[in-house]
């Protein structure tokens, strides 16, 4: 049940990322930041940014068209102070002519800059010297280009590169990480190196101790187990500093399945509560070892469903998990809350129904500020483009014509699609002021 | 006297509600083994039949909780993979309490869900559940953050 989610990010984009960087230093306003991990007399750890203690209250984000994130102003207004990226090309994504680092700096947000260390499962060969050298060259270029940017907090060297495929047993990966970290440290002694794992285990940590001593901060991605992963690290042999680098809701691979193996997505309020709890438990239970965390995902992303991990709709509306993080980070709820979806009821929920079934669904949703609510219903096929490690997935087809009556209201009648198979009924509720709530239930149409 | 009447009325109410609960759904308990009840509870949870899931877990606890607690008391640590199946009652009842917590939370009975999850977290913490993907997991470890989440959900307006 527990533990590791897998990755994010457009693999193809990362594979071609070498074209995106050159060794020209980035011209920015402000001075380069100086960040260090310091072990204190009592054995605890603190991240010092320009001499002051700094705890990352962050979110993983991507501003690419497919990911839609990047509302950094809202992140800052919510009490967040940092973002994490996965691939170095993300730093060049521009909005209003400004790249991500500059936009973050303007918003008062730091950046853990991800450098994508290639995965074996994507075809990278750690015995191919030419490929290894190209990866090293790309890293050198990136460090030289971005090391002096004042928004830079740390280097995120690799994400879940040990998972899947040959994985953690392949010592060449750990040794290469150590070599790459050495490159960073030589070129940029002012920013620590963090490497992110797909969940923690004693064997991974043993491999790091043996082959990767240059690591400064351990990053761990975890989902159902996120609230307790930090607490478990000492028992696995890691007593050093760490960050919870992806967390939020129980993963699609960890959750209850329907009879036809469709993961059941939690309701938006439960997802908000789960995200809040993961943050709070990790922070409170690991003082002196946790240097911060990054919630997943400040944007939108198709992964099993369009709404599982994303904290925003593709049209930009925030979902209740954004408000939950604002409360977690700042102790205050935002002035305008996303609507609260109290229940979604339909007789077909989690059931197999015959072809030709006509049914109904109703949603009970409130808006705390009394905003008028707009309801949009949709039926979508169950995703068949399921990938590992957060690799990009195609959205399944939708069947809006199935909604027979009531579209736009809190109660609809619908006809199940004419082809047997697995589907989901979605409802999205908009408050008209930048907030929304969305929920879905799977059902299956039988011959 | 008033106090006694109140207590009596509470007892009557609670026995009525238990009677209602047992007659509300006519569940098929199969061969009444702990594993059957546990699997039926999982299936009911996956089908959205949350009352049924609670019913199966209730029956499992009624029949096997004593044995489960006995097994728990005999252990000093979580059994390893070779021995895990020897502790069948502990595993099935512990898993049932986890399922019960999940089902009750879906029914928005958060306080009851927390109570169920606390049994596995605090009392049956060496129970293990089999994941068909090929490994055992700990319902107790899984219950811990669920309890925290449900407590947060009760305390704050998410």
């Amino acid at each position: 049940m527990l533990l590791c989610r897998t990755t994010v990010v457009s693999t193809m984009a990362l594979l071609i990322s070498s074209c995106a960087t050159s060794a020209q230093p980035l011209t920015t306003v402000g001075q380069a930041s100086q960040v260090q991990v310091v072990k204190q007399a009592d054995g605890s750890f603190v991240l010092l940014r320009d001499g002051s203690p700094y705890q990352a209250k962050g979110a993983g984000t991507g501003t690419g068209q497919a990911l839609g994130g990047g509302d950094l102003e809202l992140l800052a207004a919510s009490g967040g102070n940092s973002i994490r990226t996965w691939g170095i090309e993300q730093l060049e994504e521009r909005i209003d002519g400004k790249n991500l680092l500059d936009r973050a700096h303007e918003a008062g947000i730091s950046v853990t800059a991800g450098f994508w260390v290639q995965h074996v499962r994507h075809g990278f060969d750690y015995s191919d010297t030419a490929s290894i050298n190209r990866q090293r060259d790309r890293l050198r270029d990136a460090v030289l280009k971005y090391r002096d940017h004042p928004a830079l907090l740390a280097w995120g060297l690799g994400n879940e590169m040990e998972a899947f495929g040959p994985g953690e047993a392949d010592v060449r990966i750990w040794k290469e990480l150590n070599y790459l970290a050495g490159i960073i440290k030589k070129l940029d002694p002012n920013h620590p190196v963090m490497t992110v794992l797909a969940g923690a285990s004693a064997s991974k940590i043993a491999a790091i101790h043996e082959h990767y001593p240059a690591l400064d901060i351990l990053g761990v991605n975890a989902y159902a187990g996120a609230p307790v992963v930090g607490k478990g690290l000492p028992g696995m042999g890691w007593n050093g500093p760490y960050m919870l680098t992806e967390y939020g809701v129980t993963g699609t691979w960890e959750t209850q399945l329907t009879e036809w193996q469709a993961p059941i997505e939690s309701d938006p309020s439960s997802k908000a509560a789960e995200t809040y709890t993961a943050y709070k438990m990790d922070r409170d239970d690991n003082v002196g070892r946790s240097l911060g965390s990054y919630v997943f995902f400040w944007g939108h992303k198709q992964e099993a469903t369009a709404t599982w991990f994303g904290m925003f709709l593709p049209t930009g509306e925030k979902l209740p998990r954004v408000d939950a993080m604002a409360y977690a980070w700042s102790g205050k709820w935002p002035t305008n809350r996303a609507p609260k979806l109290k229940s979604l009821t339909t007789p077909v929920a989690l059931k197999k129904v015959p072809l030709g079934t006509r049914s109904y669904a109703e949603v009970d949703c409130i808006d705390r500020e009394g905003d008028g609510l707009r309801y949009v219903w949709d039926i979508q096929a169950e995703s068949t483009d399921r990938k590992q490690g957060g690799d990009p997935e195609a959205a399944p087809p939708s069947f809006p014509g199935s909604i027979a009556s009531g579209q736009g209201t809190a109660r609809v009648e619908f006809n199940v699609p004419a082809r047997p198979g697995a589907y989901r009924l979605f409802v999205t509720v908009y408050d008209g002021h930048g907030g929304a709530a969305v929920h879905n239930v799977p059902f299956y149409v039988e011959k | 006297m008033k106090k006694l009447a109140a207590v009596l009325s509470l007892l009557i109410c609670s026995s009525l509600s238990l009677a209602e609960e047992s007659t509300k759904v006519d569940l098929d308990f199969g061969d009444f083994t702990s594993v059957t009840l546990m699997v039926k509870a999982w299936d009911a949870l996956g089908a959205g039949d949350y009352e049924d899931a609670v019913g199966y877990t209730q029956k499992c606890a009624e029949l096997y909780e004593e044995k489960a607690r006995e097994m728990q008391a005999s252990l000093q640590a979580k059994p390893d993979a070779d021995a895990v199946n020897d502790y069948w009652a502990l595993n099935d009842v512990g898993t049932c309490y986890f399922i019960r917590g999940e089902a009750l939370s879906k029914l928005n009975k958060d306080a009851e869900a927390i109570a169920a999850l606390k049994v596995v977290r605090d009392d049956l913490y060496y129970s293990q559940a089999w994941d068909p993907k090929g490994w055992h997991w700990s319902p107790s470890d899984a219950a811990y953050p669920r309890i925290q989440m449900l407590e947060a959900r009760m305390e704050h307006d998410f």
Side-chain angles (χ1 to χ4, degrees):
Chain A
M1 173 94 171
L2 295 181
L3 289 186
C4 56
R5 194 194 108 54
T6 39
T7 331
V8 191
V9 149
S10 162
T11 309
M12 288 309 293
L14 292 164
L15 287 171
I16 61 171
S17 66
S18 57
C19 307
T21 60
S22 69
Q24 295 296 315
L26 199 64
T27 306
T28 54
V29 290
Q31 292 190 323
S33 59
Q34 294 211 325
V35 183
Q36 345 164 231
V37 178
V38 175
K39 187 172 187 178
Q40 303 184 109
D42 64 356
S44 64
F45 294 91
V46 64
L47 192 63
L48 293 180
R49 187 179 188 220
D50 297 328
S52 299
Y54 191 87
Q55 187 82 6
K57 296 192 242 180
T61 193
T63 54
Q65 207 169 16
L67 300 170
D71 191 341
L72 304 184
E73 292 72 25
L74 180 58
L75 180 73
S78 301
N81 64 7
S82 191
I83 57 170
R84 174 188 171 222
T85 60
W86 286 263
I88 207 70
E89 79 289 345
Q90 287 183 263
L91 304 184
E92 290 300 326
E93 288 168 351
R94 287 174 186 271
I95 295 178
D96 297 333
K98 291 176 187 163
N99 71 25
L100 184 62
L101 281 168
D102 286 346
R103 290 180 53 239
H105 186 54
E106 278 184 14
I109 285 171
S110 68
V111 179
T112 290
F115 179 87
W116 190 259
V117 174
Q118 296 294 345
H119 292 204
V120 173
R121 82 175 198 277
H122 295 142
F124 194 82
D125 180 356
Y126 276 88
S127 63
D128 179 353
T129 308
S131 297
I132 287 172
N133 284 337
R134 279 196 297 274
Q135 180 163 267
R136 291 174 180 177
D137 288 345
R138 283 202 304 274
L139 178 65
R140 284 188 192 95
D141 287 349
V143 174
L144 289 171
K145 184 167 185 180
Y146 299 113
R147 64 184 176 183
D148 293 329
H149 197 288
L152 184 63
L153 180 71
W155 294 100
L157 181 64
N159 180 76
E160 301 192 354
M161 63 280 114
E162 88 291 0
F164 318 106
E168 67 203 68
D170 190 342
V171 298
R172 293 173 305 174
I173 298 173
W174 303 112
K175 287 181 173 176
E176 183 58 19
L177 284 164
N178 198 56
Y179 189 91
L180 295 171
I183 291 175
I184 295 174
K185 285 165 183 281
K186 188 175 173 188
L187 297 176
D188 178 14
N190 293 324
H191 297 96
V193 176
M194 174 166 72
T195 289
V196 174
L197 308 181
S201 69
S203 57
K204 290 181 190 183
I205 288 167
I208 288 171
H209 283 314
E210 187 173 356
H211 304 294
Y212 187 9
L215 180 67
D216 295 314
I217 304 168
L218 181 70
V220 184
N221 294 343
Y223 286 81
V228 293
V229 73
K231 213 171 176 177
L233 288 174
M236 297 173 193
W238 186 260
N239 293 298
Y242 80 96
M243 287 191 184
L244 182 58
T245 36
E246 287 180 25
Y247 71 94
V249 296
T250 297
T252 56
W253 62 98
E254 306 168 296
T255 196
Q256 178 72 24
L257 304 174
T258 65
E259 190 186 336
W260 56 95
Q261 306 300 300
I264 301 169
E265 191 164 347
S266 285
D267 67 90
S269 292
S270 295
K271 288 169 76 172
E274 190 180 3
T275 305
Y276 169 89
T277 303
Y279 169 79
K280 198 164 174 298
M281 287 177 69
D282 180 68
R283 181 195 65 186
D284 295 350
D285 290 349
N286 304 293
V287 174
R289 291 189 301 112
S290 169
L291 303 182
S293 58
Y294 291 91
V295 67
F296 188 83
F297 177 73
W298 198 263
H300 63 83
K301 185 169 191 292
Q302 170 71 36
E303 196 165 330
T305 73
T307 52
W308 200 285
F309 293 106
M311 297 169 74
F312 293 82
L313 293 179
T315 41
E317 289 84 0
K318 66 171 183 176
L319 296 170
R321 292 175 62 213
V322 171
D323 293 347
M325 287 315 301
Y327 187 62
W329 285 327
S330 71
K332 291 181 290 193
W333 292 107
T335 311
N336 181 60
R337 299 277 304 273
K340 178 173 183 170
L341 195 153
K342 297 168 86 171
S343 66
L344 169 60
T345 311
T346 172
V348 307
L350 311 177
K351 296 288 188 288
K352 289 186 168 182
V353 298
L355 270 176
T357 296
R358 186 180 175 96
S359 191
Y360 71 92
E362 54 193 354
V363 63
D364 181 6
C365 194
I366 60 164
D367 187 88
R368 296 172 182 84
E369 295 80 38
D371 298 330
L373 296 176
R374 182 168 65 93
Y375 303 84
V376 176
W377 297 84
D378 190 21
I379 290 177
Q380 292 180 10
E382 182 68 32
S383 172
T384 53
D385 187 31
R386 299 289 301 281
K387 301 278 177 60
Q388 278 190 318
D391 288 350
E393 297 178 5
S398 123
F399 302 87
S402 296
I403 307 301
S405 66
Q407 181 65 279
T409 72
R411 189 182 195 281
V412 289
E413 292 198 358
F414 62 91
N415 299 303
V416 300
R419 181 175 294 197
Y423 297 91
R424 288 176 190 262
L425 173 72
F426 279 83
V427 62
T428 308
V429 188
Y430 300 85
D431 72 359
H433 292 89
V438 59
H439 193 21
N440 72 79
V441 287
F443 65 95
Y444 193 94
V445 179
E446 290 184 303
K447 280 183 187 168
Chain B
M1 190 63 188
K2 266 186 183 172
K3 200 172 175 183
L4 179 63
V7 170
L8 279 172
S9 120
L10 264 177
L11 285 171
I12 290 162
C13 282
S14 68
S15 62
L16 275 177
S17 66
L18 281 175
E20 275 172 12
E21 195 168 306
S22 60
T23 54
K24 197 160 31 186
V25 280
D26 191 16
L27 297 176
D28 172 12
F29 295 124
D31 59 7
F32 285 78
T33 59
S34 60
V35 68
T36 295
L37 295 167
M38 185 266 290
V39 168
K40 280 177 176 283
W42 269 131
D43 289 347
L45 188 68
D49 298 327
Y50 304 123
E51 298 280 6
D52 292 4
V54 172
Y56 289 122
T57 62
Q58 178 71 29
K59 181 58 72 179
C60 189
E62 275 171 29
L63 297 178
Y64 301 105
E65 184 164 346
E66 193 178 338
K67 184 69 180 170
R69 287 181 180 273
E70 204 178 286
M71 289 178 170
Q72 168 76 32
S74 73
L75 288 166
Q76 300 301 314
K78 208 172 278 179
D80 60 27
D82 294 337
V84 64
N85 291 331
D86 296 343
Y87 297 89
W88 53 273
L90 174 60
N91 296 335
D92 294 339
V93 175
T95 304
C96 272
Y97 269 105
F98 181 81
I99 297 168
R100 187 179 178 84
E102 292 294 292
L104 288 165
S105 75
K106 296 289 186 188
L107 294 166
N108 290 319
K109 296 178 177 177
D110 287 358
E112 291 173 62
I114 290 167
L117 292 168
K118 281 185 174 173
V119 173
V120 65
R121 186 194 68 178
D122 299 340
D123 300 345
L124 304 176
Y125 43 85
Y126 290 144
S127 61
Q128 296 181 67
W130 175 248
D131 187 311
K133 290 195 277 290
W135 55 78
H136 282 96
W137 56 277
S138 162
S140 173
D141 289 350
Y144 177 52
R146 299 300 288 170
I147 291 166
Q148 300 285 319
M149 187 279 279
L150 290 168
E151 287 177 345
R153 197 165 84 169
M154 289 178 74
E155 188 181 346
H156 305 294
D157 177 22
F158 289 105

